[in-house]
Amino acid sequence: MDSESKFSHRRGFSLIELLAIIAIIGVLSSVIIAVVHSTVSTAHSVECTSNLRQIGNAVSLYTADNGGYLPTWRTWTNGKGSWIWDNYAGTMNGDGTANGGILSGFAGYYSPGGSLTRTQFDTPGARHIFNCPANESTTSSKGYAANMKVMRDVSPGQPGIGGLPVVDIVYPGRVMMIADNALSNVRWFSTNSWEENIGFTRHKTGANVLFADLSVGSMKLEDVKEENLDPME
């Protein structure tokens, strides 16, 4: 049999077989994409948990050095609010007023140089302990919110350290101190704002949370109770 007759007996793919192959490739592609997405999501959640543990270590050191008082979430300088718990060191104006924040007492506990730079802190997508890697904001890199019932807002003229004494927290293992935020410009939550300010949908398991006993876990919106928000409950 010559070569021409050999080729004439070869059968190509039918349309049905071709469509079946395309369908199989499509299914495999969707499975691979789903697996990759799940792996990335898990990696983000693990990194986020690590961030919160590092913040917890800084809180522990601060508290030990300040008579058992927790850091505050905001203080006031020259009549202007300045972020405290996740603040960068801003430059000072010639008259001594703060320009874009001040170097907080808490800053030295989480950064060897005293604080993050403004560029590190504000660049969208920046990787540092105050930005969850799953934060998709295109305007800033602030990924967590503090519970104002635990890390208090220190008003102008308030005497003393102003933070909450650890011993005043009834059940520290239940109380949320810091959690994923819902929007990158939301830096706090309280008993009347937690539903909209906490990022419960950021991770598959819910919002990652640093509790007042410095353990780290996750919470779903439907599982949150008053005792998880109020340290006196």
Side-chain angles (χ1 to χ4, degrees):
M1 185 180 292
D2 58 26
S3 59
E4 184 177 343
S5 58
K6 284 183 181 180
F7 282 114
S8 65
H9 285 82
R10 288 183 179 177
R11 189 173 71 88
F13 288 111
S14 69
L15 178 60
I16 294 176
E17 289 172 328
L18 183 60
L19 292 174
I21 291 172
I22 292 173
I24 291 171
I25 292 174
V27 170
L28 291 175
S29 298
S30 62
V31 170
I32 292 172
I33 291 171
V35 170
V36 170
H37 182 268
S38 177
T39 301
V40 171
S41 297
T42 300
H44 284 170
S45 184
V46 169
E47 185 176 342
C48 174
T49 298
S50 175
N51 287 348
L52 290 171
R53 291 191 192 283
Q54 291 181 72
I55 294 171
N57 290 337
V59 170
S60 177
L61 292 172
Y62 176 95
T63 303
D65 286 346
N66 287 276
Y69 286 85
L70 290 167
T72 53
W73 84 282
R74 183 171 67 175
T75 190
W76 294 79
T77 303
N78 299 314
K80 296 181 179 180
S82 299
W83 299 113
I84 210 61
W85 73 276
D86 62 349
N87 198 20
Y88 50 81
T91 57
M92 300 301 291
N93 297 322
D95 60 358
T97 58
N99 176 20
I102 61 169
L103 178 61
S104 71
F106 183 40
Y109 291 92
Y110 60 72
S111 176
S115 188
L116 299 167
T117 66
R118 168 171 255 176
T119 299
Q120 290 172 319
F121 193 70
D122 284 339
T123 301
R127 291 294 182 91
H128 53 72
I129 66 171
F130 294 106
N131 189 32
C132 171
N135 174 19
E136 297 180 347
S137 170
T138 58
T139 58
S140 67
S141 61
K142 306 172 183 71
Y144 302 108
N147 184 349
M148 286 183 65
K149 286 280 189 176
V150 178
M151 297 175 74
R152 293 172 171 171
D153 183 3
V154 182
S155 300
Q158 182 172 332
I161 296 172
L164 179 70
V166 173
V167 295
D168 286 358
I169 301 176
V170 180
Y171 297 109
R174 301 177 188 174
V175 178
M176 297 187 289
M177 180 162 60
I178 296 169
D180 282 306
N181 62 10
L183 298 170
S184 62
N185 62 337
V186 171
R187 314 281 288 285
W188 57 273
F189 63 92
S190 192
T191 50
N192 61 353
S193 63
W194 62 273
E195 290 189 57
E196 62 267 29
N197 286 6
I198 296 176
F200 291 104
T201 60
R202 179 173 287 167
H203 304 289
K204 292 186 295 182
T205 55
N208 285 336
V209 177
L210 173 67
F211 294 93
D213 68 346
L214 305 184
S215 63
V216 176
S218 63
M219 293 286 292
K220 293 182 179 296
L221 185 149
E222 59 268 25
D223 296 330
V224 177
K225 300 178 176 62
E226 187 71 18
E227 64 186 21
N228 301 123
L229 302 165
D230 192 335
M232 305 306 175
E233 288 291 325

